[in-house]
Amino acid sequence: MRTAWRTPRVPITSPLPQSRDLIRDASLVWLASGVVGVSFGAIAVAGGLPVWVPVVMSLVVYAGSAQFSAVGVLLAGGGPIAAAATGLLLNTRTAAFSLAVSDTLGPGRLTRLIGAHLVTDETVAFALAQADPVRRRRAFWVSGIGLFAVWNVGVLAGALAGGALGDPATYGLDAAFPAVLVALVLPTLRADARTRRCALLGAALALAVTPAVPAGVPVLLALAGLVLHGRKGVSA
């Protein structure tokens, strides 16, 4: 039976165009990650480690700065315990990152377990740079899965290449990640005064202690800038 009233058609928005936009935006991070991953694999093997060590470390640990530090300790003559402790110290900052994206990962223990493994500086910054919760979640998974894949492929390629590529600092590649992260967080810093206060205090603390403490510790101390996040009365 036909009626004069018609049910309005609700337009269905496909996630594919949005995902393509996110892939395009994340590609710069993936490129930087792949290049540094190649260098990491090459440095580890050139220093005397077997190919499987950087490859397995990248799959299981998956933390660029912690991996570089752990391999540095091993190549300097330190034992596995010292290398593991160094990596754990550097990775403690991801506890704060996990809190920032805890609602972004999605429901379910398995989802959260996999998502926790993908939490990095880059994925968190890329996700938090998005405007709405739906796009934020999609951005986290798109950037996280892509970054994990590119990093591990790069490490494998570098490990197989051996010592032919040398130190990434020689090519200025050590500055690639910081530059990408700055580009990702700038929109948030411009829009949110409280976040800007936290970032400025954290940066000041990190710069002040850098000459006196081991590498990686300034990043941890920069988290102290979060104490200003709850102070609404302070102008920026």
Side-chain angles (χ1 to χ4, degrees), residues 135-152:
R135 185 173 173 85
R136 194 174 297 132
R137 178 174 298 177
R138 187 175 291 123
F140 175 86
W141 287 104
V142 168
S143 63
I145 293 173
L147 193 65
F148 180 81
V150 171
W151 172 260
N152 282 279

Side-chain angles (χ1 to χ4, degrees), residues 33-235:
S33 174
V35 171
V36 178
V38 169
S39 299
F40 169 74
I43 290 171
V45 173
L49 296 177
V51 171
W52 67 267
V53 171
V55 173
V56 173
M57 185 184 292
S58 296
L59 289 170
V60 177
V61 179
Y62 182 53
S65 59
Q67 290 179 228
F68 271 106
S69 299
V71 166
V73 171
L74 291 175
L75 296 182
I81 295 179
T86 301
L88 286 173
L89 177 63
L90 289 177
N91 261 15
T92 52
R93 72 188 189 281
T94 59
F97 297 162
S98 299
L99 294 175
V101 296
S102 60
D103 296 333
T104 302
L105 301 182
R109 292 184 179 180
L110 181 59
T111 300
R112 288 179 174 271
L113 180 62
I114 297 174
H117 191 57
L118 299 179
V119 170
T120 64
D121 309 58
E122 298 79 25
T123 54
V124 172
F126 189 69
L128 296 182
Q130 310 306 316
D132 61 90
V134 174
R135 185 173 173 85
R136 194 174 297 132
R137 178 174 298 177
R138 187 175 291 123
F140 175 86
W141 287 104
V142 168
S143 63
I145 293 173
L147 193 65
F148 180 81
V150 171
W151 172 260
N152 282 279
V153 170
V155 170
L156 176 60
L160 294 176
L165 298 177
D167 190 345
T170 303
Y171 311 101
L173 300 179
D174 53 332
F177 271 170
V180 171
L181 286 176
V182 168
L184 287 175
V185 302
L186 272 180
T188 301
L189 294 178
R190 290 173 178 169
D192 190 337
R194 285 195 296 174
T195 301
R196 188 162 57 247
R197 290 197 300 270
C198 296
L200 289 174
L201 177 59
L205 290 173
L207 289 174
V209 301
T210 294
V213 299
V217 176
V219 178
L220 299 178
L221 295 179
L223 295 175
L226 294 174
V227 299
L228 293 183
H229 193 268
R231 300 182 61 183
K232 299 180 180 180
V234 181
S235 59

